[in-house]
Amino acid sequence: MLRLRHFMVPFLGAVCLAVVLLFVQAICDLNLPNLMSDIVNTGIQKGGVEEVAPRAISKEGHDFIEDFMSDEDRGLLEQSYHLSSDAKTAADGAAAGADERGGSAAGDRPLSDTWPKAASEPVYLLTSDISAQNLTQLDAAFGKAAWTLLGLLQRAQQTGIEGGAPALSGDASGAPAPDLQQPDLQQPDLQQIDLSVLYQLQPLLQQLPEQWHRDAARQAEGIDPALRGQSATLLTAAFYRELGRDMGAIEMSYILRIGLIMLLVTALSGLATVLVGFISARVGAGVARDLRAAVFEKVSRFSHAEFDRFSTASLITRSTNDVTVMQMLVTLGIRMICYAPIMGIGATAMALSKSVAMSWLIGLAVVLLLGIIGVLAAIVMPKFQIMQTLVDRVNLVARESLVGLMVVRAFSRSDFERKRFDAANRDLTRTTLFVNRAMTFMMPTLMLLMNGLTALVIWVGSQQVAASQMQVGDMMAYMQYVMQIITSFMFIAMIFVFLPRAQVSAKRIAEVLQTEPTVLDPPKPALMDESRRGEVEFRDVSFRYQGGETDALQSISFIARPGQTTAFIGSTGSGKSTILNLIPRFYDVTAGAVLVGGVDVRTLSQHELRAHIGYVPQQSVLMAGTVASNIAYGAPEADVAKIAAVAQAEDFIEALPEGFDAPVSQGGSNVSGGQRQRISIARALAINPDIYLFDDSFSALDFATDAALRRALAAYTANATLIIVAQRVNTIRDADQIYVIDDGRIVGQGRHEELLESCEAYAQIAHSQLAAPAAGAPTAPAAAAPAGDSDE
């Protein structure tokens, strides 16, 4: 597949842009679970309170929390807050830390607007110039103080000290305090924390032994900082509520703000997805266009030797079906091959940031996914290669049956061809079903793995939540990240299943593109000798087809000059058409040399050589279009009416309703064999070449039309070289020189009368076709036939 990588070079800019957009999409998709986690953890569980250290705290609350701090933390607390009773402005205090925490400054509004209790009593406000480092230390101090308080309450409750337990519940029911080793931070409701009860307990807590305080502080140091911050946030919310803040408004404001961010992130992700799809589709179509053009350009330069190697059905499949597979690979590859690793790695990193303890779940999922993908790849990859070969086989059988439909019907072989096609079709169907079953097995397996892993994440995550080692929102985000990881591997699995087929297609396309034609133009093409223009010479030419065991031609030598008609005749398979194929250099000789215009054809450019040759093949091939477009195929400005008259095609063309504008189907299937031959002859005459090659081009004409055509050709091509291959003696009897070919050798040379006397092989052919060979007259039935086609 790497052999085709240069076709991606023109699209590198678009691919890089797509990759950038994929990063944008991945970042958006990876942040959505985080935002959802924030809504659950902060918006719902914490009532929208984001800060650990409160921006404002009552004097009573300040004195209370200070009792549970170390001396160093108390100094930081005193340094970070200042007491304010100014009800006119909150600019220097109420907005403190707003930039750091994402809050909004109160501006010039009265302090009581933000903290209603400030209207009646002093409030400690966070200083506006606090550094980020000190703010982080202050957050840690509040977290340790909160856990120290919880530790003291627990120990007081365990020892039976009255009033130790109900502090968090806000009543005197005696409900047990949270366990210090496995604290349940998810259970307390922010609306139920009653600071007045805690304040009543302050004298009792101050009387506890100093060692208890030190033990609780030491245990608080060992708690995860994130959990310490979460418990401190509970107290911060209580402090705000004590100051009269509307906690419902804070909660709703936070949820709406994060929800709006989620909508914007989702919209950005959707936009990136659409743009990536658009770019990948354009790149895929562009690569397919360039591949088709490259295959067509390469095939158009193939010599007959390369066409002998690649069947027509195979070349069609390679330039259509295989190119389409490559287009799908590029289109899906940009979207999946690039996106899946980005998403997989990013989701893994984000999941680990939520919980390292649950990382074994990701490892288990990855191992299972790689095992499934590996097994499927090992099973499916060989089948894809077989499937492409079977597609070629179906195309070949179908093409043969359709092209040879008349032969099939004439010999009543319809049932045989139907069975042959059915066998090829069944082989392809069985292989395709096998591949599809394997892919069908993959999706349910992956879905089972995904659902099972989801249940496992919920089970393990709920235990983590119960142990206060993970928050509910983090567990939900973790579950989504695991799904993203599995989805990424599903994308990779789809690519790995599709990749073998694409590799086979890429290999087949590369085989065509990397096949160098055996007939190539020389680096510095020579020019024809104008004094020998139109002259064709074979000098001791031998030729062997690729893979052949014996030479098809041996020691062939002759000269065909302008103004002369040179003819070749012989039995079927003797090598007559091969001689003609060497002149326009459809093949290169194995030994000897073919000269045109006095120059070896291998030293001429193919375009220059073939511009001097008018070739009429044995099998007349017409292009889809009109009669006029076919005649003027090589010379658009040609006088098609005059040329059609020379080719004896004028009568039947004028009889058509549209005349020269009559449509011609692909291959000329809507005209008869004789009409195809005459149009082909007219096409060669239109370019007015120096050399005419007629490869048994009169076989479909009746004798009268044949004779009339030869008379017209003799006048029209008086100064050109005519080389004719024929099966009928009557067609070549007037040739200036006739060569009899037998088993690849020249066994006779001369004019018609001479060969009757000197060449036994020619005499046998003539006796088999002519009623009176000595007289040279055609048989009576043929001579009496009306002008037209012999096959009509």
Side-chain angles (χ1 to χ4, degrees), residues 64 68 146-169 175-180 197-198 201-202 204-205 208 212 216 235:
F64 174 79
F68 307 101
W147 274 83
T148 301
L149 170 62
L150 289 175
L152 289 172
L153 289 172
Q154 180 203 31
R155 192 161 185 178
Q157 189 265 342
Q158 288 175 345
T159 57
I161 297 178
E162 185 180 358
L168 290 180
S169 63
D179 182 68
L180 184 62
V197 177
L198 290 177
L201 291 175
Q202 186 175 8
L204 175 64
L205 294 173
L208 294 176
W212 286 22
L235 285 176

Short mmCIF file of all heavy atoms in Angstrom, two decimals, residues 64 68 146-169 175-180 197-198 201-202 204-205 208 212 216 235:
data_model
loop_
_atom_site.label_atom_id
_atom_site.label_comp_id
_atom_site.label_asym_id
_atom_site.label_seq_id
_atom_site.Cartn_x
_atom_site.Cartn_y
_atom_site.Cartn_z
N PHE A 64 -14.11 30.12 64.41
CA PHE A 64 -14.37 28.69 64.58
C PHE A 64 -13.36 27.85 63.79
O PHE A 64 -12.75 26.94 64.33
CB PHE A 64 -15.80 28.39 64.13
CG PHE A 64 -16.14 26.93 64.11
CD1 PHE A 64 -16.44 26.26 65.30
CD2 PHE A 64 -16.14 26.20 62.93
CE1 PHE A 64 -16.74 24.91 65.28
CE2 PHE A 64 -16.44 24.85 62.91
CZ PHE A 64 -16.74 24.20 64.09
N PHE A 68 -9.09 24.81 64.27
CA PHE A 68 -8.70 23.49 63.74
C PHE A 68 -7.53 23.58 62.75
O PHE A 68 -7.28 22.66 62.00
CB PHE A 68 -9.91 22.84 63.06
CG PHE A 68 -11.11 22.78 63.95
CD1 PHE A 68 -12.15 23.69 63.81
CD2 PHE A 68 -11.18 21.83 64.97
CE1 PHE A 68 -13.25 23.65 64.63
CE2 PHE A 68 -12.29 21.80 65.80
CZ PHE A 68 -13.32 22.71 65.63
N ALA A 146 -11.08 21.16 57.80
CA ALA A 146 -12.36 20.46 57.72
C ALA A 146 -12.21 19.02 58.16
O ALA A 146 -13.05 18.48 58.91
CB ALA A 146 -12.91 20.55 56.30
N TRP A 147 -11.14 18.35 57.72
CA TRP A 147 -10.95 16.95 58.09
C TRP A 147 -10.51 16.80 59.55
O TRP A 147 -10.81 15.80 60.20
CB TRP A 147 -9.93 16.31 57.16
CG TRP A 147 -10.61 15.80 55.92
CD1 TRP A 147 -10.94 16.49 54.83
CD2 TRP A 147 -11.07 14.47 55.72
NE1 TRP A 147 -11.58 15.70 53.91
CE2 TRP A 147 -11.68 14.42 54.43
CE3 TRP A 147 -11.05 13.29 56.47
CZ2 TRP A 147 -12.25 13.29 53.90
CZ3 TRP A 147 -11.61 12.13 55.93
CH2 TRP A 147 -12.20 12.14 54.67
N THR A 148 -9.81 17.79 60.05
CA THR A 148 -9.49 17.76 61.48
C THR A 148 -10.76 17.84 62.30
O THR A 148 -10.93 17.12 63.30
CB THR A 148 -8.54 18.92 61.82
OG1 THR A 148 -7.35 18.81 61.04
CG2 THR A 148 -8.18 18.90 63.31
N LEU A 149 -11.68 18.74 61.90
CA LEU A 149 -12.98 18.85 62.57
C LEU A 149 -13.73 17.53 62.53
O LEU A 149 -14.26 17.07 63.54
CB LEU A 149 -13.79 19.96 61.91
CG LEU A 149 -15.27 20.08 62.33
CD1 LEU A 149 -15.38 20.38 63.82
CD2 LEU A 149 -15.98 21.14 61.50
N LEU A 150 -13.77 16.88 61.35
CA LEU A 150 -14.46 15.60 61.23
C LEU A 150 -13.83 14.55 62.14
O LEU A 150 -14.52 13.74 62.76
CB LEU A 150 -14.44 15.13 59.77
CG LEU A 150 -15.31 15.90 58.79
CD1 LEU A 150 -15.08 15.38 57.38
CD2 LEU A 150 -16.77 15.80 59.16
N GLY A 151 -12.50 14.55 62.21
CA GLY A 151 -11.81 13.58 63.07
C GLY A 151 -12.13 13.77 64.53
O GLY A 151 -12.35 12.80 65.28
N LEU A 152 -12.16 15.01 64.96
CA LEU A 152 -12.48 15.28 66.35
C LEU A 152 -13.91 14.91 66.69
O LEU A 152 -14.19 14.34 67.76
CB LEU A 152 -12.24 16.76 66.65
CG LEU A 152 -10.77 17.20 66.68
CD1 LEU A 152 -10.67 18.72 66.78
CD2 LEU A 152 -10.02 16.54 67.84
N LEU A 153 -14.84 15.21 65.75
CA LEU A 153 -16.24 14.84 65.98
C LEU A 153 -16.39 13.33 66.09
O LEU A 153 -17.15 12.82 66.93
CB LEU A 153 -17.12 15.39 64.86
CG LEU A 153 -17.32 16.91 64.82
CD1 LEU A 153 -18.06 17.32 63.55
CD2 LEU A 153 -18.10 17.37 66.06
N GLN A 154 -15.68 12.61 65.23
CA GLN A 154 -15.79 11.15 65.27
C GLN A 154 -15.25 10.60 66.59
O GLN A 154 -15.88 9.75 67.22
CB GLN A 154 -15.01 10.55 64.10
CG GLN A 154 -15.10 9.02 64.09
CD GLN A 154 -13.95 8.39 63.33
OE1 GLN A 154 -12.85 8.95 63.32
NE2 GLN A 154 -14.20 7.25 62.73
N ARG A 155 -14.11 11.12 66.99
CA ARG A 155 -13.50 10.58 68.21
C ARG A 155 -14.35 10.93 69.44
O ARG A 155 -14.48 10.13 70.35
CB ARG A 155 -12.09 11.14 68.37
CG ARG A 155 -11.29 10.42 69.45
CD ARG A 155 -9.81 10.64 69.29
NE ARG A 155 -9.06 9.85 70.26
CZ ARG A 155 -7.74 9.82 70.33
NH1 ARG A 155 -7.01 10.56 69.46
NH2 ARG A 155 -7.12 9.09 71.23
N ALA A 156 -14.92 12.14 69.37
CA ALA A 156 -15.78 12.52 70.49
C ALA A 156 -17.00 11.62 70.55
O ALA A 156 -17.45 11.22 71.63
CB ALA A 156 -16.19 13.98 70.34
N GLN A 157 -17.53 11.28 69.41
CA GLN A 157 -18.71 10.40 69.37
C GLN A 157 -18.35 8.99 69.84
O GLN A 157 -19.11 8.33 70.53
CB GLN A 157 -19.29 10.39 67.96
CG GLN A 157 -20.63 9.69 67.84
CD GLN A 157 -20.49 8.23 67.42
OE1 GLN A 157 -19.43 7.85 66.92
NE2 GLN A 157 -21.51 7.43 67.69
N GLN A 158 -17.14 8.52 69.44
CA GLN A 158 -16.72 7.16 69.80
C GLN A 158 -16.49 7.05 71.31
O GLN A 158 -16.71 6.00 71.90
CB GLN A 158 -15.44 6.80 69.05
CG GLN A 158 -15.66 6.54 67.57
CD GLN A 158 -14.35 6.31 66.84
OE1 GLN A 158 -13.28 6.61 67.36
NE2 GLN A 158 -14.46 5.78 65.61
N THR A 159 -16.07 8.15 71.91
CA THR A 159 -15.82 8.11 73.35
C THR A 159 -17.04 8.47 74.17
O THR A 159 -16.97 8.54 75.39
CB THR A 159 -14.67 9.09 73.71
OG1 THR A 159 -15.01 10.40 73.25
CG2 THR A 159 -13.37 8.64 73.06
N GLY A 160 -18.16 8.78 73.48
CA GLY A 160 -19.41 9.02 74.18
C GLY A 160 -19.57 10.42 74.69
O GLY A 160 -20.42 10.66 75.55
N ILE A 161 -18.76 11.36 74.15
CA ILE A 161 -18.92 12.74 74.59
C ILE A 161 -20.18 13.30 73.99
O ILE A 161 -20.39 13.26 72.77
CB ILE A 161 -17.69 13.59 74.19
CG1 ILE A 161 -16.45 13.05 74.90
CG2 ILE A 161 -17.90 15.05 74.52
CD1 ILE A 161 -15.18 13.78 74.53
N GLU A 162 -21.05 13.82 74.81
CA GLU A 162 -22.36 14.28 74.36
C GLU A 162 -22.21 15.46 73.40
O GLU A 162 -21.40 16.36 73.62
CB GLU A 162 -23.20 14.69 75.56
CG GLU A 162 -24.61 15.07 75.20
CD GLU A 162 -25.42 15.46 76.41
OE1 GLU A 162 -24.87 15.40 77.53
OE2 GLU A 162 -26.58 15.84 76.22
N GLY A 163 -23.00 15.38 72.32
CA GLY A 163 -23.02 16.48 71.36
C GLY A 163 -22.01 16.34 70.25
O GLY A 163 -21.96 17.20 69.39
N GLY A 164 -21.21 15.26 70.25
CA GLY A 164 -20.19 15.14 69.21
C GLY A 164 -20.75 14.75 67.88
O GLY A 164 -20.21 15.12 66.85
N ALA A 165 -21.85 13.99 67.82
CA ALA A 165 -22.29 13.43 66.56
C ALA A 165 -23.23 14.28 65.75
O ALA A 165 -23.11 14.36 64.55
CB ALA A 165 -22.93 12.07 66.81
N PRO A 166 -24.19 14.95 66.35
CA PRO A 166 -25.23 15.56 65.53
C PRO A 166 -24.81 16.81 64.80
O PRO A 166 -25.65 17.45 64.20
CB PRO A 166 -26.33 15.85 66.53
CG PRO A 166 -25.65 16.03 67.83
CD PRO A 166 -24.47 15.15 67.82
N ALA A 167 -23.57 17.16 64.82
CA ALA A 167 -23.16 18.44 64.24
C ALA A 167 -23.45 18.52 62.75
O ALA A 167 -23.81 19.57 62.25
CB ALA A 167 -21.68 18.67 64.50
N LEU A 168 -23.25 17.45 62.04
CA LEU A 168 -23.43 17.50 60.60
C LEU A 168 -24.90 17.35 60.20
O LEU A 168 -25.26 17.67 59.08
CB LEU A 168 -22.59 16.43 59.91
CG LEU A 168 -21.08 16.66 59.93
CD1 LEU A 168 -20.37 15.52 59.22
CD2 LEU A 168 -20.73 18.00 59.30
N SER A 169 -25.70 16.82 61.05
CA SER A 169 -27.09 16.61 60.69
C SER A 169 -27.99 17.77 61.06
O SER A 169 -29.08 17.89 60.55
CB SER A 169 -27.63 15.32 61.34
OG SER A 169 -27.58 15.47 62.74
N ALA A 175 -27.49 11.06 65.48
CA ALA A 175 -27.04 10.28 64.31
C ALA A 175 -25.54 10.16 64.33
O ALA A 175 -24.84 11.09 64.69
CB ALA A 175 -27.50 10.97 63.03
N PRO A 176 -25.01 9.03 63.94
CA PRO A 176 -23.56 8.82 64.02
C PRO A 176 -22.82 9.72 63.06
O PRO A 176 -23.27 9.99 61.97
CB PRO A 176 -23.39 7.34 63.62
CG PRO A 176 -24.62 7.02 62.83
CD PRO A 176 -25.71 7.85 63.42
N ALA A 177 -21.67 10.20 63.50
CA ALA A 177 -20.82 11.03 62.65
C ALA A 177 -20.12 10.16 61.63
O ALA A 177 -19.99 8.96 61.81
CB ALA A 177 -19.79 11.77 63.51
N PRO A 178 -19.67 10.76 60.55
CA PRO A 178 -18.97 9.98 59.54
C PRO A 178 -17.73 9.33 60.10
O PRO A 178 -17.02 9.89 60.94
CB PRO A 178 -18.61 11.03 58.48
CG PRO A 178 -19.54 12.17 58.73
CD PRO A 178 -19.79 12.16 60.18
N ASP A 179 -17.45 8.12 59.59
CA ASP A 179 -16.25 7.40 60.00
C ASP A 179 -15.02 8.07 59.42
O ASP A 179 -14.97 8.40 58.24
CB ASP A 179 -16.33 5.95 59.51
CG ASP A 179 -15.12 5.15 59.97
OD1 ASP A 179 -14.98 4.89 61.16
OD2 ASP A 179 -14.30 4.82 59.07
N LEU A 180 -13.97 8.22 60.21
CA LEU A 180 -12.80 8.95 59.75
C LEU A 180 -12.01 8.16 58.71
O LEU A 180 -11.46 8.74 57.79
CB LEU A 180 -11.89 9.29 60.95
CG LEU A 180 -10.66 10.14 60.66
CD1 LEU A 180 -11.10 11.50 60.13
CD2 LEU A 180 -9.81 10.32 61.92
N VAL A 197 -25.06 24.83 65.21
CA VAL A 197 -24.80 23.66 66.04
C VAL A 197 -23.30 23.48 66.24
O VAL A 197 -22.83 23.17 67.34
CB VAL A 197 -25.43 22.41 65.43
CG1 VAL A 197 -25.10 21.17 66.27
CG2 VAL A 197 -26.94 22.58 65.32
N LEU A 198 -22.54 23.68 65.15
CA LEU A 198 -21.09 23.56 65.26
C LEU A 198 -20.52 24.62 66.20
O LEU A 198 -19.59 24.35 66.98
CB LEU A 198 -20.45 23.68 63.87
CG LEU A 198 -20.70 22.52 62.90
CD1 LEU A 198 -20.07 22.81 61.54
CD2 LEU A 198 -20.12 21.22 63.46
N LEU A 201 -20.84 23.63 69.66
CA LEU A 201 -19.91 22.57 70.05
C LEU A 201 -18.49 23.10 70.21
O LEU A 201 -17.62 22.37 70.71
CB LEU A 201 -19.91 21.45 69.00
CG LEU A 201 -21.18 20.59 68.91
CD1 LEU A 201 -21.06 19.62 67.73
CD2 LEU A 201 -21.39 19.82 70.20
N GLN A 202 -18.23 24.32 69.81
CA GLN A 202 -16.86 24.82 69.81
C GLN A 202 -16.22 24.77 71.20
O GLN A 202 -15.07 24.31 71.34
CB GLN A 202 -16.82 26.24 69.25
CG GLN A 202 -15.41 26.79 69.07
CD GLN A 202 -15.39 28.15 68.40
OE1 GLN A 202 -16.44 28.75 68.19
NE2 GLN A 202 -14.21 28.62 68.07
N LEU A 204 -16.82 22.74 73.59
CA LEU A 204 -16.55 21.34 73.90
C LEU A 204 -15.32 20.85 73.14
O LEU A 204 -14.45 20.18 73.69
CB LEU A 204 -17.77 20.49 73.56
CG LEU A 204 -17.59 18.97 73.70
CD1 LEU A 204 -17.34 18.60 75.16
CD2 LEU A 204 -18.85 18.26 73.19
N LEU A 205 -15.25 21.19 71.86
CA LEU A 205 -14.13 20.75 71.04
C LEU A 205 -12.82 21.38 71.51
O LEU A 205 -11.75 20.76 71.41
CB LEU A 205 -14.39 21.10 69.57
CG LEU A 205 -15.56 20.37 68.91
CD1 LEU A 205 -15.83 20.94 67.51
CD2 LEU A 205 -15.30 18.88 68.82
N LEU A 208 -11.19 19.36 74.26
CA LEU A 208 -10.64 18.03 73.97
C LEU A 208 -9.13 18.05 74.15
O LEU A 208 -8.47 19.08 73.96
CB LEU A 208 -11.00 17.61 72.55
CG LEU A 208 -12.49 17.38 72.27
CD1 LEU A 208 -12.70 17.05 70.80
CD2 LEU A 208 -13.04 16.27 73.14
N TRP A 212 -5.55 14.78 70.91
CA TRP A 212 -6.61 14.46 69.96
C TRP A 212 -6.53 15.39 68.75
O TRP A 212 -6.70 14.95 67.61
CB TRP A 212 -7.97 14.60 70.65
CG TRP A 212 -8.27 13.49 71.61
CD1 TRP A 212 -7.39 12.66 72.25
CD2 TRP A 212 -9.57 13.13 72.08
NE1 TRP A 212 -8.02 11.79 73.07
CE2 TRP A 212 -9.39 12.05 72.99
CE3 TRP A 212 -10.86 13.60 71.83
CZ2 TRP A 212 -10.46 11.44 73.65
CZ3 TRP A 212 -11.92 12.99 72.48
CH2 TRP A 212 -11.74 11.93 73.38
N ALA A 216 -5.88 14.10 64.96
CA ALA A 216 -6.83 14.39 63.87
C ALA A 216 -6.15 15.17 62.75
O ALA A 216 -6.40 14.92 61.55
CB ALA A 216 -8.01 15.19 64.43
N LEU A 235 -18.20 23.10 53.97
CA LEU A 235 -18.20 24.14 54.98
C LEU A 235 -18.30 25.53 54.35
O LEU A 235 -18.96 26.42 54.88
CB LEU A 235 -16.93 24.04 55.83
CG LEU A 235 -16.90 22.91 56.86
CD1 LEU A 235 -15.55 22.87 57.55
CD2 LEU A 235 -18.02 23.07 57.89
#
